[in-house]
Structure formats: C-alpha cells, structure tokens
Amino acid sequence: IAGLSMSRPAMAILYDRGSFSYDDGAGNTGIVNLIYDKDFDITWVGDGNFAQTTCFDVDGKMTWFEADAWARGLTIGGSTDWRLPTSLNQDGSGPVGAFHATGSEMGHLYSGELGGAYSLISARSDPDLGLFPNLKDYRYWSGTETLSGVTTLAWNFDFSKDLQSANHHQSGFFYALAVHSGDVGAAPVPEPATVALLGIGLVGMAVAEVRRRRKKEMQLIISK
C-alpha cells in the first residue's frame, strides 16, 4: 500500500479558506473568500475581477501602475502585503514567454488548478472554477516588469489562450488578480503555553473522573 501511494501522482488542490473582511484602501469594505494553493504556498483572492466587485474600478481593467497600486493597497483578514502574481517560475527562474507556461503563479492556476489548456478559461468544466467568480477570458497583469530597449513593459497572462508574454506596455488596460505569499487564511496554531495548559486541564479532568469513580465504588462497598 505504501509503495502504491508513493507512486501516485500528486494532485493539485485548492483550499477554500472561507470569508474574510477586506478594505481596498479606497473606502470600500466587505467580505471575500480566500483560496489557498498548497503547491505554490500562496493565497489568492477568490474573485476574478475583485477590483470591479469592490467598486475600486468601473470595469476592473486597469493600467499596470493602477493594478499594482490596487493590489498593494488591499487589507484582507487583517493581512497587508498583497501583490500582483509573479511571472517568474516557482524556482525563481524565467520568466518564460510561451504558451502553457505552467511554472508561473498564473500559469499554474490556469493549467494546474483550473484545468485550462490553450483555450478560453470559461470553456473549461473544472469544479474549482467556482472558487474564482468573475474570472475573465482576457489578459491579467503580473507584477513582473521587463525592459525592452528604453521602454518598460510588464508581463501578463492571457486566460483566453494560455499565453504568458511581455509584449504590452504598462499603459494598457488589463484585469488583475491579487495574491499573497503563504497561507493567509489558515487557522492559527496554538501557542506552546496554550497547548500545555490544555494538556494540564485534560489530565486534571481525567484524575477527577478516576477519583469520582473510586469514591462511588467505596460508597457502594460501605452501603453493603
């Protein structure tokens, strides 16, 4: 059984961490779900067009500068340091300009988690798509910049055809996803002192139960 379990391929799994309060830095507040990607150890905002949902932007299409500032200005579940996804590979190499660039955060989300493959993401039937309402068949900004001659461009991922590229100027209008390193929505791990107190309490309860039973047995013996 151990051998069979080790030979099975790893499955990509997204974890819905539930609802958390947000503040987008522009006076808009509410609740949004956070989605944890264990493969990349990152937490996504569970909305494919969150900037429009919060009324930060009328249609959610922003320049790279607007999108970058929007992501950095988010506070969700008390956590700041939100950002645009990186186009670098998970090992820090790249970026790779190509179709099916699965090494980047958005490339992995599209192919590894949402079942996309060279087509409109809306045409897929992966159940995890329900975790990202409002996801568009269009380009999304990444936070990765690149210099082309004297012009600064920004990398993006096209959810309509599985393409990662850097051939668009930062003044273009694309959608944006927000992401955070680590598992933002995970339940807090108890402090060692708390665990110790819990253990002491459980031991005390066990001792009290033993004493109660012995006392009851002695009363039965005396009554006989």
Side-chain angles (χ1 to χ4, degrees):
I1 294 174
L4 288 173
S5 63
M6 291 177 64
S7 65
R8 293 173 60 185
M11 294 180 62
I13 300 177
L14 294 174
Y15 297 87
D16 187 346
R17 292 309 193 200
S19 300
F20 294 82
S21 60
Y22 71 77
D23 184 330
D24 71 353
N28 303 306
T29 59
I31 299 294
V32 68
N33 273 26
L34 297 181
I35 313 300
Y36 178 59
D37 180 347
K38 185 176 181 180
D39 294 337
F40 274 47
D41 189 28
I42 53 177
T43 300
W44 294 96
V45 173
D47 190 321
N49 194 10
F50 192 46
Q52 182 189 45
T53 300
T54 65
C55 298
F56 182 91
D57 186 84
V58 64
D59 62 0
K61 287 184 177 180
M62 300 175 282
T63 67
W64 182 87
F65 302 101
E66 292 170 339
D68 183 62
W70 163 75
R72 293 177 184 276
L74 292 172
T75 300
I76 306 176
S79 296
T80 55
D81 296 327
W82 293 87
R83 58 178 174 79
L84 297 177
T86 179
S87 287
L88 296 172
N89 294 323
Q90 191 178 15
D91 62 5
S93 63
V96 176
F99 287 98
H100 208 56
T102 60
S104 67
E105 291 175 344
M106 284 191 288
H108 175 72
L109 178 66
Y110 175 93
S111 299
E113 303 292 354
L114 303 182
Y118 308 104
S119 63
L120 301 175
I121 193 63
S122 63
R124 313 308 296 181
S125 58
D126 193 292
D128 282 338
L129 278 169
L131 299 175
F132 293 89
N134 306 315
L135 192 62
K136 304 298 183 182
D137 296 316
Y138 201 70
R139 298 186 181 94
Y140 280 78
W141 286 121
S142 86
T144 308
E145 299 178 272
T146 187
L147 189 64
S148 178
V150 295
T151 302
T152 302
L153 308 175
W155 287 80
N156 60 85
F157 192 91
D158 194 335
F159 279 77
S160 71
K161 53 186 176 182
D162 195 5
L163 175 63
Q164 182 168 272
S165 64
N167 57 352
H168 293 86
H169 193 270
Q170 292 167 306
S171 60
F173 289 87
F174 297 162
Y175 293 107
L177 294 169
V179 71
H180 196 292
S181 299
D183 192 353
V184 174
V189 177
E191 295 291 332
T194 302
V195 174
L197 287 173
L198 178 61
I200 292 171
L202 291 173
V203 171
M205 290 174 64
V207 171
E209 178 63 16
V210 170
R211 288 179 175 174
R212 185 187 68 80
R213 290 183 179 180
R214 287 182 177 176
K215 184 177 181 180
K216 187 175 182 180
E217 289 173 357
M218 289 299 297
Q219 289 175 340
L220 287 173
I221 292 171
I222 294 171
S223 64
K224 291 180 180 179

